[in-house]
Amino acid sequence: FLLLVLGSTVAFGSKDDHHHTVSHVDSNKYSIATEKKFLLYDVNFGEGFNLRRDVYMRVANTVRLLRESGENWILVLPPWGRLHHWQRMQVALSWRLFFDIESLNRFIPVMEFEDFLDESENRPIDQVIYLQHYEEGWGTEYVRKFDERKCLPPADSHYKKEKDSKWRGWFYSYEDVRASNFKCISIQGDSGTLKDLLTHSNFSSMTSVMVDRAETILHENFGDVNYWKARRSMRYSKDLVEAANVFRDKYLDSDDENDDTEMVPDWRKERAKRTAKGGPYLGIHWRRRDFLYARQDQLPSIKGTAEILEKLCEKLKLNRIYLATDAPEEELNELKSYLRKGLQVFRFTDTQKYNDGQIAIIDQYLCAHAAHFIGSYESTFTFRIQEDREILGFPIPATFNRLCPDNIPECEQPPKWKIVY
Ligand code: GFB
Protein backbone atom coordinates (compact mmCIF):
# COMPACT_ATOMS: atom_id res chain seq x y z
CA PHE A 1 0.00 0.00 0.00
CA LEU A 2 1.05 3.56 -0.63
CA LEU A 3 2.11 6.18 1.83
CA LEU A 4 -0.64 6.44 4.39
CA VAL A 5 -0.65 9.64 6.35
CA LEU A 6 -2.69 9.36 9.50
CA GLY A 7 -3.94 12.68 10.68
CA SER A 8 -7.25 13.74 12.08
CA THR A 9 -8.58 14.47 8.63
CA VAL A 10 -6.88 11.81 6.54
CA ALA A 11 -8.28 8.35 6.80
CA PHE A 12 -6.17 5.45 5.61
CA GLY A 13 -7.90 2.95 3.47
CA SER A 14 -11.59 2.83 3.99
CA LYS A 15 -13.52 0.65 6.36
CA ASP A 16 -15.40 -0.68 3.37
CA ASP A 17 -12.41 -2.28 1.78
CA HIS A 18 -11.82 -4.33 4.91
CA HIS A 19 -12.19 -7.97 4.44
CA HIS A 20 -15.04 -8.93 6.73
CA THR A 21 -14.37 -12.07 8.67
CA VAL A 22 -16.47 -11.04 11.59
CA SER A 23 -19.82 -12.57 12.15
CA HIS A 24 -22.25 -10.57 14.21
CA VAL A 25 -24.15 -12.42 16.88
CA ASP A 26 -26.89 -11.08 19.13
CA SER A 27 -25.07 -8.27 20.87
CA ASN A 28 -27.39 -8.26 23.86
CA LYS A 29 -26.22 -11.72 24.73
CA TYR A 30 -22.46 -11.42 24.19
CA SER A 31 -20.19 -8.49 24.96
CA ILE A 32 -18.09 -8.71 21.80
CA ALA A 33 -19.61 -11.24 19.48
CA THR A 34 -17.04 -11.09 16.71
CA GLU A 35 -14.44 -13.69 15.80
CA LYS A 36 -11.50 -13.86 18.21
CA LYS A 37 -8.21 -12.47 16.95
CA PHE A 38 -4.85 -12.89 18.60
CA LEU A 39 -2.18 -10.23 18.80
CA LEU A 40 1.31 -11.46 19.64
CA TYR A 41 4.37 -9.27 19.88
CA ASP A 42 8.08 -9.28 20.62
CA VAL A 43 10.68 -6.65 21.45
CA ASN A 44 14.24 -6.05 20.26
CA PHE A 45 16.64 -8.52 21.88
CA GLY A 46 18.80 -5.87 23.61
CA GLU A 47 16.01 -4.21 25.60
CA GLY A 48 15.74 -4.69 29.35
CA PHE A 49 12.87 -5.93 31.50
CA ASN A 50 11.45 -2.52 32.38
CA LEU A 51 11.54 -1.11 28.90
CA ARG A 52 9.64 -4.26 27.90
CA ARG A 53 7.03 -3.51 30.55
CA ASP A 54 6.59 -0.12 28.92
CA VAL A 55 6.15 -1.74 25.49
CA TYR A 56 3.46 -4.00 27.02
CA MET A 57 1.51 -0.86 27.95
CA ARG A 58 1.74 0.50 24.41
CA VAL A 59 0.55 -2.77 22.85
CA ALA A 60 -2.15 -3.26 25.51
CA ASN A 61 -3.52 0.13 24.50
CA THR A 62 -3.54 -0.95 20.86
CA VAL A 63 -5.70 -3.90 21.91
CA ARG A 64 -7.96 -1.57 23.89
CA LEU A 65 -8.41 0.63 20.81
CA LEU A 66 -9.09 -2.37 18.59
CA ARG A 67 -11.72 -3.63 21.02
CA GLU A 68 -13.30 -0.19 21.29
CA SER A 69 -13.74 -0.33 17.52
CA GLY A 70 -15.66 -3.59 17.94
CA GLU A 71 -12.98 -6.16 17.10
CA ASN A 72 -12.42 -9.05 19.45
CA TRP A 73 -8.63 -8.98 19.86
CA ILE A 74 -6.84 -10.81 22.65
CA LEU A 75 -3.26 -10.05 23.64
CA VAL A 76 -0.94 -13.04 23.79
CA LEU A 77 1.71 -12.37 26.43
CA PRO A 78 5.26 -12.82 25.08
CA PRO A 79 7.17 -15.31 27.26
CA TRP A 80 10.10 -13.72 29.11
CA GLY A 81 13.66 -14.78 28.50
CA ARG A 82 17.01 -14.26 26.80
CA LEU A 83 17.41 -10.89 28.52
CA HIS A 84 21.00 -9.81 28.33
CA HIS A 85 20.92 -8.24 31.81
CA TRP A 86 19.92 -11.48 33.46
CA GLN A 87 22.79 -13.33 35.09
CA ARG A 88 21.02 -16.65 34.56
CA MET A 89 19.96 -17.24 30.99
CA GLN A 90 16.40 -18.48 31.13
CA VAL A 91 13.78 -18.60 28.39
CA ALA A 92 10.05 -19.25 27.93
CA LEU A 93 9.04 -17.91 31.36
CA SER A 94 5.35 -17.20 31.73
CA TRP A 95 3.92 -13.89 32.83
CA ARG A 96 2.23 -15.37 35.88
CA LEU A 97 5.68 -15.74 37.48
CA PHE A 98 5.88 -11.95 37.59
CA PHE A 99 2.43 -10.43 37.22
CA ASP A 100 -1.11 -11.00 38.40
CA ILE A 101 -2.89 -12.22 35.27
CA GLU A 102 -6.33 -11.54 36.71
CA SER A 103 -5.39 -7.88 37.14
CA LEU A 104 -4.04 -7.63 33.59
CA ASN A 105 -7.30 -9.12 32.36
CA ARG A 106 -9.25 -6.28 33.94
CA PHE A 107 -7.78 -3.92 31.35
CA ILE A 108 -7.82 -6.08 28.20
CA PRO A 109 -8.09 -9.84 27.69
CA VAL A 110 -4.69 -11.49 27.80
CA MET A 111 -3.47 -15.07 27.60
CA GLU A 112 -0.17 -16.87 28.05
CA PHE A 113 1.64 -18.01 24.90
CA GLU A 114 1.34 -21.68 25.90
CA ASP A 115 -2.43 -21.32 26.11
CA PHE A 116 -2.45 -19.66 22.71
CA LEU A 117 -0.53 -22.63 21.26
CA ASP A 118 -3.13 -25.00 22.72
CA GLU A 119 -6.03 -22.92 21.50
CA SER A 120 -4.61 -22.58 17.98
CA GLU A 121 -3.68 -26.29 17.96
CA ASN A 122 -0.11 -25.37 17.01
CA ARG A 123 -1.09 -24.04 13.59
CA PRO A 124 1.32 -21.45 12.17
CA ILE A 125 0.79 -17.82 13.15
CA ASP A 126 -0.99 -16.20 10.19
CA GLN A 127 1.25 -13.17 9.83
CA VAL A 128 4.46 -11.75 11.23
CA ILE A 129 4.81 -7.98 10.82
CA TYR A 130 8.35 -6.78 11.44
CA LEU A 131 8.29 -3.10 12.37
CA GLN A 132 11.19 -0.95 11.27
CA HIS A 133 11.93 2.75 10.95
CA TYR A 134 11.95 4.58 7.64
CA GLU A 135 15.29 4.22 5.92
CA GLU A 136 15.22 7.93 5.04
CA GLY A 137 14.42 9.03 8.63
CA TRP A 138 11.56 11.22 9.86
CA GLY A 139 11.92 13.93 7.25
CA THR A 140 11.13 17.50 8.19
CA GLU A 141 7.90 16.77 9.97
CA TYR A 142 6.74 13.95 12.22
CA VAL A 143 3.62 12.34 10.82
CA ARG A 144 2.05 9.08 11.85
CA LYS A 145 2.29 6.69 8.93
CA PHE A 146 3.20 3.19 7.80
CA ASP A 147 4.26 1.62 4.52
CA GLU A 148 5.24 -1.79 3.36
CA ARG A 149 8.95 -1.58 2.57
CA LYS A 150 11.81 -3.89 1.80
CA CYS A 151 13.26 -5.45 4.91
CA LEU A 152 16.18 -3.51 6.31
CA PRO A 153 18.84 -5.22 8.37
CA PRO A 154 18.45 -6.91 10.83
CA ALA A 155 14.93 -8.05 9.81
CA ASP A 156 16.29 -10.06 6.91
CA SER A 157 18.42 -12.18 9.23
CA HIS A 158 15.79 -12.76 11.94
CA TYR A 159 13.21 -14.64 9.89
CA LYS A 160 13.95 -17.27 7.25
CA LYS A 161 11.63 -18.87 4.77
CA GLU A 162 11.86 -22.64 4.85
CA LYS A 163 11.36 -25.13 2.01
CA ASP A 164 7.70 -25.62 2.89
CA SER A 165 7.42 -21.80 2.51
CA LYS A 166 6.70 -21.30 6.21
CA TRP A 167 8.68 -18.70 8.13
CA ARG A 168 10.98 -19.60 10.97
CA GLY A 169 12.08 -17.12 13.62
CA TRP A 170 13.06 -16.88 17.30
CA PHE A 171 9.48 -17.17 18.63
CA TYR A 172 10.55 -16.93 22.26
CA SER A 173 12.69 -20.09 21.88
CA TYR A 174 9.78 -22.34 20.81
CA GLU A 175 11.45 -24.23 17.99
CA ASP A 176 8.34 -25.68 16.38
CA VAL A 177 6.47 -22.42 15.92
CA ARG A 178 6.17 -21.10 12.35
CA ALA A 179 4.39 -18.25 10.57
CA SER A 180 2.57 -18.40 7.24
CA ASN A 181 3.35 -14.86 6.09
CA PHE A 182 6.01 -12.30 6.80
CA LYS A 183 6.22 -8.61 5.93
CA CYS A 184 8.38 -5.65 6.88
CA ILE A 185 6.52 -2.44 7.60
CA SER A 186 8.19 0.93 8.08
CA ILE A 187 6.21 2.80 10.69
CA GLN A 188 6.32 5.96 12.74
CA GLY A 189 3.57 6.37 15.22
CA ASP A 190 1.99 4.99 18.34
CA SER A 191 -0.54 2.53 19.75
CA GLY A 192 -3.21 4.12 17.56
CA THR A 193 -1.08 3.82 14.42
CA LEU A 194 -0.57 0.14 15.15
CA LYS A 195 -4.31 -0.29 15.55
CA ASP A 196 -4.77 1.33 12.12
CA LEU A 197 -2.15 -0.98 10.64
CA LEU A 198 -3.86 -4.08 12.05
CA THR A 199 -7.26 -3.08 10.71
CA HIS A 200 -5.85 -2.25 7.29
CA SER A 201 -7.24 -4.46 4.54
CA ASN A 202 -3.89 -6.21 4.02
CA PHE A 203 -4.11 -7.72 7.48
CA SER A 204 -7.74 -7.58 8.49
CA SER A 205 -8.41 -11.15 7.39
CA MET A 206 -5.72 -12.54 9.69
CA THR A 207 -6.71 -14.27 12.90
CA SER A 208 -3.28 -14.30 14.53
CA VAL A 209 -0.74 -11.56 13.96
CA MET A 210 2.64 -11.21 15.58
CA VAL A 211 4.19 -7.75 15.64
CA ASP A 212 7.95 -7.95 16.11
CA ARG A 213 10.05 -4.97 17.23
CA ALA A 214 6.97 -3.57 18.95
CA GLU A 215 9.16 -1.00 20.75
CA THR A 216 9.18 0.90 17.43
CA ILE A 217 5.78 2.38 18.27
CA LEU A 218 5.30 4.95 21.02
CA HIS A 219 2.54 5.68 23.53
CA GLU A 220 -0.43 7.43 21.95
CA ASN A 221 -0.72 9.89 24.82
CA PHE A 222 2.10 9.41 27.27
CA GLY A 223 0.94 9.74 30.86
CA ASP A 224 -2.79 9.97 30.12
CA VAL A 225 -5.52 8.02 31.87
CA ASN A 226 -5.15 4.99 29.57
CA TYR A 227 -1.41 4.93 30.15
CA TRP A 228 -2.14 4.72 33.86
CA LYS A 229 -4.91 2.17 33.51
CA ALA A 230 -2.56 -0.16 31.65
CA ARG A 231 0.09 0.54 34.27
CA ARG A 232 -2.21 -0.02 37.23
CA SER A 233 -3.34 -3.32 35.75
CA MET A 234 0.26 -4.58 35.98
CA ARG A 235 0.02 -5.72 39.57
CA TYR A 236 2.74 -8.11 40.69
CA SER A 237 2.11 -11.79 41.24
CA LYS A 238 0.75 -12.65 44.67
CA ASP A 239 3.81 -14.79 45.51
CA LEU A 240 6.20 -11.90 44.93
CA VAL A 241 4.07 -9.46 46.90
CA GLU A 242 3.91 -11.95 49.75
CA ALA A 243 7.69 -12.51 49.75
CA ALA A 244 8.35 -8.77 49.72
CA ASN A 245 5.84 -8.14 52.52
CA VAL A 246 7.45 -10.80 54.72
CA PHE A 247 10.80 -9.08 54.13
CA ARG A 248 9.34 -5.67 55.03
CA ASP A 249 7.92 -7.01 58.23
CA LYS A 250 11.06 -8.89 59.23
CA TYR A 251 13.78 -6.35 58.41
CA LEU A 252 12.26 -2.97 57.64
CA ASP A 253 9.62 -2.50 60.33
CA SER A 254 7.19 -1.84 57.50
CA ASP A 255 3.62 -2.97 56.82
CA ASP A 256 0.71 -1.58 54.83
CA GLU A 257 -1.40 -0.55 57.76
CA ASN A 258 1.29 1.54 59.46
CA ASP A 259 2.66 2.82 56.16
CA ASP A 260 -0.76 3.79 54.73
CA THR A 261 -0.07 1.75 51.60
CA GLU A 262 -3.03 -0.64 51.60
CA MET A 263 -4.43 -1.45 48.16
CA VAL A 264 -7.92 -2.45 47.15
CA PRO A 265 -7.99 -5.89 45.48
CA ASP A 266 -9.35 -4.55 42.18
CA TRP A 267 -7.20 -1.72 40.72
CA ARG A 268 -10.25 -0.25 38.94
CA LYS A 269 -11.53 0.79 42.37
CA GLU A 270 -8.38 2.72 43.34
CA ARG A 271 -8.81 6.40 44.07
CA ALA A 272 -6.38 9.32 44.09
CA LYS A 273 -4.54 9.91 47.35
CA ARG A 274 -1.32 11.55 48.55
CA THR A 275 -1.17 10.33 52.13
CA ALA A 276 1.06 7.23 51.89
CA LYS A 277 3.85 7.35 54.51
CA GLY A 278 5.88 4.29 53.58
CA GLY A 279 8.15 2.23 55.80
CA PRO A 280 10.85 3.86 57.96
CA TYR A 281 13.67 3.35 55.48
CA LEU A 282 15.28 4.97 52.46
CA GLY A 283 14.82 3.15 49.14
CA ILE A 284 17.52 3.56 46.55
CA HIS A 285 17.87 2.25 42.99
CA TRP A 286 21.57 2.28 42.24
CA ARG A 287 21.99 1.37 38.55
CA ARG A 288 25.51 0.22 37.56
CA ARG A 289 27.06 -2.14 34.96
CA ASP A 290 26.17 -1.15 31.35
CA PHE A 291 24.57 2.07 32.60
CA LEU A 292 28.01 3.38 33.52
CA TYR A 293 28.83 3.52 29.82
CA ALA A 294 25.44 4.76 28.66
CA ARG A 295 24.99 7.49 31.30
CA GLN A 296 28.47 7.97 32.69
CA ASP A 297 28.25 11.75 33.22
CA GLN A 298 24.96 11.46 35.06
CA LEU A 299 25.85 8.97 37.81
CA PRO A 300 27.74 9.46 41.06
CA SER A 301 30.93 7.57 41.94
CA ILE A 302 30.70 4.85 44.59
CA LYS A 303 32.04 7.21 47.24
CA GLY A 304 29.72 9.95 45.97
CA THR A 305 26.76 7.57 46.33
CA ALA A 306 27.69 6.81 49.95
CA GLU A 307 27.85 10.55 50.72
CA ILE A 308 24.42 11.16 49.23
CA LEU A 309 22.93 8.28 51.24
CA GLU A 310 24.47 9.48 54.50
CA LYS A 311 23.23 13.02 54.04
CA LEU A 312 19.72 11.89 53.10
CA CYS A 313 19.41 9.49 56.02
CA GLU A 314 20.57 12.20 58.38
CA LYS A 315 18.08 14.71 56.96
CA LEU A 316 15.18 12.25 57.04
CA LYS A 317 16.22 10.70 60.36
CA LEU A 318 16.34 7.21 58.91
CA ASN A 319 18.90 4.55 59.74
CA ARG A 320 17.80 1.82 57.35
CA ILE A 321 18.43 1.67 53.62
CA TYR A 322 16.87 -0.74 51.15
CA LEU A 323 19.33 -1.04 48.28
CA ALA A 324 18.17 -2.21 44.85
CA THR A 325 21.08 -2.59 42.49
CA ASP A 326 22.67 -4.57 39.70
CA ALA A 327 26.14 -3.67 41.04
CA PRO A 328 28.73 -6.44 41.27
CA GLU A 329 29.74 -7.65 44.75
CA GLU A 330 33.03 -5.66 44.87
CA GLU A 331 31.19 -2.39 44.24
CA LEU A 332 28.64 -3.22 46.92
CA ASN A 333 31.36 -3.91 49.44
CA GLU A 334 33.09 -0.69 48.52
CA LEU A 335 29.85 1.26 48.98
CA LYS A 336 29.21 -0.28 52.38
CA SER A 337 32.79 0.44 53.47
CA TYR A 338 32.14 4.18 53.07
CA LEU A 339 28.94 4.23 55.11
CA ARG A 340 29.09 5.15 58.78
CA LYS A 341 28.36 2.46 61.36
CA GLY A 342 24.75 2.46 62.47
CA LEU A 343 23.39 2.78 58.94
CA GLN A 344 21.96 -0.60 58.02
CA VAL A 345 21.80 -1.68 54.39
CA PHE A 346 19.28 -4.36 53.35
CA ARG A 347 19.03 -6.36 50.12
CA PHE A 348 16.76 -9.17 48.98
CA THR A 349 19.03 -11.94 47.68
CA ASP A 350 17.12 -15.25 47.62
CA THR A 351 18.37 -16.34 44.20
CA GLN A 352 17.64 -19.99 45.02
CA LYS A 353 13.92 -19.45 45.10
CA TYR A 354 13.46 -16.54 42.67
CA ASN A 355 14.71 -15.86 39.15
CA ASP A 356 16.41 -12.61 38.09
CA GLY A 357 13.21 -10.94 36.91
CA GLN A 358 11.38 -11.85 40.11
CA ILE A 359 14.17 -10.43 42.28
CA ALA A 360 14.05 -7.25 40.19
CA ILE A 361 10.32 -6.93 40.94
CA ILE A 362 10.81 -7.57 44.65
CA ASP A 363 13.54 -4.89 44.63
CA GLN A 364 11.14 -2.48 42.97
CA TYR A 365 8.30 -3.29 45.34
CA LEU A 366 10.53 -2.71 48.36
CA CYS A 367 11.78 0.62 46.97
CA ALA A 368 8.19 1.57 46.19
CA HIS A 369 7.19 1.11 49.85
CA ALA A 370 10.00 3.20 51.37
CA ALA A 371 9.29 6.50 53.13
CA HIS A 372 11.62 8.17 50.63
CA PHE A 373 13.03 7.04 47.30
CA ILE A 374 16.02 8.06 45.23
CA GLY A 375 16.73 6.55 41.80
CA SER A 376 19.16 6.60 38.88
CA TYR A 377 19.03 9.05 36.00
CA GLU A 378 16.76 7.96 33.13
CA SER A 379 16.63 4.32 34.14
CA THR A 380 13.35 2.62 33.23
CA PHE A 381 13.87 0.45 36.34
CA THR A 382 13.69 3.67 38.39
CA PHE A 383 10.68 4.95 36.38
CA ARG A 384 8.64 1.85 37.21
CA ILE A 385 9.35 2.39 40.94
CA GLN A 386 8.22 6.02 40.64
CA GLU A 387 5.01 4.84 38.99
CA ASP A 388 4.36 2.29 41.73
CA ARG A 389 4.76 5.06 44.29
CA GLU A 390 2.34 7.26 42.37
CA ILE A 391 -0.17 4.42 42.46
CA LEU A 392 0.41 3.91 46.20
CA GLY A 393 -0.25 7.62 46.76
CA PHE A 394 3.02 9.11 48.05
CA PRO A 395 3.61 12.86 48.24
CA ILE A 396 5.61 13.99 45.18
CA PRO A 397 8.82 15.03 47.01
CA ALA A 398 9.21 11.52 48.46
CA THR A 399 9.38 9.96 44.98
CA PHE A 400 10.91 12.03 42.17
CA ASN A 401 14.53 12.15 43.28
CA ARG A 402 17.70 11.06 41.59
CA LEU A 403 21.33 10.47 42.46
CA CYS A 404 23.38 13.41 41.22
CA PRO A 405 26.85 13.08 39.72
CA ASP A 406 29.73 14.11 42.05
CA ASN A 407 30.48 17.34 40.17
CA ILE A 408 26.84 18.57 40.04
CA PRO A 409 25.44 18.01 43.56
CA GLU A 410 22.39 20.16 42.79
CA CYS A 411 21.60 18.43 39.50
CA GLU A 412 18.23 18.70 37.81
CA GLN A 413 15.69 16.33 39.36
CA PRO A 414 13.58 13.92 37.31
CA PRO A 415 10.39 15.01 35.56
CA LYS A 416 7.33 14.51 37.75
CA TRP A 417 5.02 12.24 35.82
CA LYS A 418 2.04 12.31 38.12
CA ILE A 419 -0.70 9.73 38.08
CA VAL A 420 -4.06 10.64 36.56
CA TYR A 421 -7.34 8.85 37.12
O1 GFB B 1 15.04 -2.90 33.44
P1 GFB B 1 15.85 -2.18 32.46
O2 GFB B 1 15.27 -2.01 31.12
O3 GFB B 1 16.24 -0.78 33.07
O4 GFB B 1 17.21 -2.98 32.34
P2 GFB B 1 17.19 0.41 32.52
C1 GFB B 1 18.06 -3.12 33.44
C2 GFB B 1 18.12 -4.56 33.95
O5 GFB B 1 19.26 -4.71 34.81
C3 GFB B 1 16.92 -4.94 34.81
C4 GFB B 1 18.92 -5.41 35.98
O6 GFB B 1 15.83 -5.41 34.10
C5 GFB B 1 17.54 -5.99 35.72
O7 GFB B 1 17.68 -7.22 35.05
N1 GFB B 1 18.85 -4.45 37.09
C6 GFB B 1 19.11 -3.13 37.06
C7 GFB B 1 18.52 -4.77 38.35
N2 GFB B 1 18.95 -2.58 38.27
C8 GFB B 1 18.59 -3.58 39.11
C9 GFB B 1 18.27 -3.63 40.50
O8 GFB B 1 18.29 -2.66 41.22
N3 GFB B 1 17.91 -4.84 40.98
C10 GFB B 1 17.86 -5.95 40.22
N4 GFB B 1 17.47 -7.08 40.79
N5 GFB B 1 18.16 -5.94 38.90
C11 GFB B 1 18.38 0.15 30.14
C12 GFB B 1 18.04 -1.02 29.25
O9 GFB B 1 18.10 -0.28 31.46
O10 GFB B 1 19.76 0.43 30.13
C13 GFB B 1 18.61 -0.87 27.89
O11 GFB B 1 16.63 -1.14 29.11
C14 GFB B 1 20.12 -0.55 27.98
O12 GFB B 1 18.44 -2.07 27.19
C15 GFB B 1 20.34 0.66 28.86
O13 GFB B 1 20.80 -1.68 28.52
C16 GFB B 1 21.82 1.00 29.05
O14 GFB B 1 16.41 1.46 31.84
O15 GFB B 1 17.97 0.81 33.72
Side-chain angles (χ1 to χ4, degrees):
F1 32 109
L2 297 169
L3 184 82
L4 303 162
V5 182
L6 307 171
S8 49
T9 50
V10 193
F12 68 106
S14 103
K15 282 271 177 224
D16 296 333
D17 65 26
H18 284 188
H19 205 107
H20 282 281
T21 51
V22 286
S23 58
H24 292 272
V25 187
D26 184 358
S27 58
N28 294 327
K29 257 180 150 172
Y30 304 99
S31 48
I32 291 196
T34 52
E35 183 197 353
K36 270 197 221 165
K37 291 175 177 236
F38 300 93
L39 180 60
L40 301 94
Y41 75 96
D42 204 357
V43 176
N44 185 27
F45 164 69
E47 305 301 345
F49 189 69
N50 289 288
L51 187 97
R52 286 165 188 264
R53 286 175 57 184
D54 189 76
V55 176
Y56 168 82
M57 292 158 63
R58 304 177 212 175
V59 182
N61 268 304
T62 298
V63 172
R64 173 186 61 80
L65 291 166
L66 285 162
R67 296 183 66 80
E68 283 170 5
S69 74
E71 299 206 7
N72 192 5
W73 286 82
I74 292 159
L75 184 56
V76 181
L77 301 165
W80 294 99
R82 201 177 62 154
L83 264 61
H84 79 91
H85 297 102
W86 287 0
Q87 309 292 310
R88 292 167 285 180
M89 214 19 93
Q90 291 174 298
V91 291
L93 303 178
S94 20
W95 276 58
R96 63 174 178 278
L97 294 171
F98 308 100
F99 297 98
D100 180 39
I101 305 295
E102 209 180 316
S103 270
L104 295 175
N105 262 311
R106 291 187 178 121
F107 184 56
I108 47 146
V110 298
M111 72 197 296
E112 299 272 13
F113 185 63
E114 298 261 356
D115 296 329
F116 164 77
L117 292 179
D118 287 346
E119 182 150 345
S120 64
E121 294 167 346
N122 299 309
R123 281 189 302 276
I125 298 165
D126 290 339
Q127 175 79 51
V128 169
I129 301 178
Y130 193 96
L131 300 183
Q132 55 188 19
H133 291 288
Y134 281 82
E135 201 170 10
E136 66 274 23
W138 282 6
T140 51
E141 191 189 4
Y142 180 80
V143 280
R144 300 155 81 212
K145 61 179 181 179
F146 52 81
D147 294 278
E148 187 180 337
R149 288 284 176 89
K150 80 170 194 306
C151 295
L152 304 171
D156 39 7
S157 58
H158 285 197
Y159 290 86
K160 292 275 178 242
K161 199 172 189 167
E162 303 213 303
K163 286 193 193 75
D164 61 0
S165 78
K166 297 276 180 273
W167 292 83
R168 187 191 180 124
W170 160 249
F171 296 123
Y172 326 109
S173 81
Y174 288 76
E175 291 188 358
D176 298 334
V177 176
R178 296 285 181 278
S180 303
N181 299 288
F182 175 81
K183 268 192 194 344
C184 290
I185 299 284
S186 287
I187 190 166
Q188 56 189 34
D190 51 50
S191 309
T193 322
L194 181 58
K195 175 227 158 196
D196 293 336
L197 174 65
L198 293 168
T199 48
H200 188 272
S201 55
N202 286 23
F203 303 120
S204 58
S205 64
M206 307 290 180
T207 307
S208 54
V209 179
M210 164 150 169
V211 173
D212 200 352
R213 299 298 300 267
E215 79 284 358
T216 314
I217 57 142
L218 308 171
H219 289 283
E220 192 173 37
N221 292 301
F222 182 84
D224 76 348
V225 71
N226 288 311
Y227 175 97
W228 283 101
K229 278 186 183 168
R231 181 61 182 81
R232 282 157 59 212
S233 76
M234 298 185 86
R235 291 240 178 133
Y236 303 123
S237 87
K238 296 203 168 60
D239 288 354
L240 301 185
V241 169
E242 174 66 20
N245 283 342
V246 167
F247 190 93
R248 280 166 78 198
D249 184 51
K250 194 161 171 198
Y251 300 107
L252 299 168
D253 192 19
S254 165
D255 67 71
D256 287 337
E257 207 180 319
N258 283 325
D259 301 356
D260 195 358
T261 49
E262 275 166 322
M263 293 184 104
V264 288
D266 181 345
W267 59 266
R268 292 171 301 183
K269 303 209 170 90
E270 286 165 353
R271 296 291 171 260
K273 73 174 227 203
R274 287 275 169 213
T275 53
K277 290 201 319 240
Y281 60 98
L282 173 70
I284 165 180
H285 174 226
W286 193 42
R287 182 77 161 87
R288 304 291 292 175
R289 297 195 192 254
D290 57 333
F291 227 59
L292 294 176
Y293 306 104
R295 307 269 192 276
Q296 197 176 26
D297 305 341
Q298 298 292 342
L299 302 174
S301 65
I302 301 179
K303 191 152 198 211
T305 307
E307 284 169 12
I308 295 171
L309 292 181
E310 290 218 333
K311 275 193 197 139
L312 255 180
C313 284
E314 199 176 298
K315 187 175 140 202
L316 300 164
K317 302 198 170 43
L318 297 171
N319 54 24
R320 274 182 262 218
I321 296 173
Y322 184 81
L323 175 63
T325 189
D326 58 338
E329 211 56 41
E330 320 82 76
E331 294 188 358
L332 272 170
N333 292 335
E334 189 181 334
L335 177 70
K336 286 186 200 157
S337 76
Y338 296 132
L339 293 172
R340 70 173 158 80
K341 287 214 171 53
L343 263 188
Q344 287 181 287
V345 177
F346 294 90
R347 294 181 63 230
F348 187 95
T349 52
D350 189 353
T351 50
Q352 291 295 315
K353 192 155 174 210
Y354 300 100
N355 67 40
D356 289 27
Q358 291 176 310
I359 298 219
I361 284 182
I362 293 174
D363 270 350
Q364 289 178 311
Y365 184 94
L366 292 168
C367 283
H369 284 79
H372 191 93
F373 172 68
I374 183 164
S376 294
Y377 178 73
E378 282 187 358
S379 162
T380 54
F381 192 108
T382 286
F383 292 157
R384 299 291 89 84
I385 296 170
Q386 292 170 344
E387 288 166 351
D388 281 336
R389 295 177 64 88
E390 280 295 280
I391 295 168
L392 287 166
F394 278 92
I396 304 281
T399 292
F400 294 97
N401 306 294
R402 65 170 270 218
L403 295 159
C404 288
D406 296 2
N407 57 345
I408 324 175
E410 302 295 319
C411 69
E412 196 185 342
Q413 292 302 303
K416 294 165 183 62
W417 285 310
K418 295 181 211 159
I419 193 164
V420 288
Y421 287 91

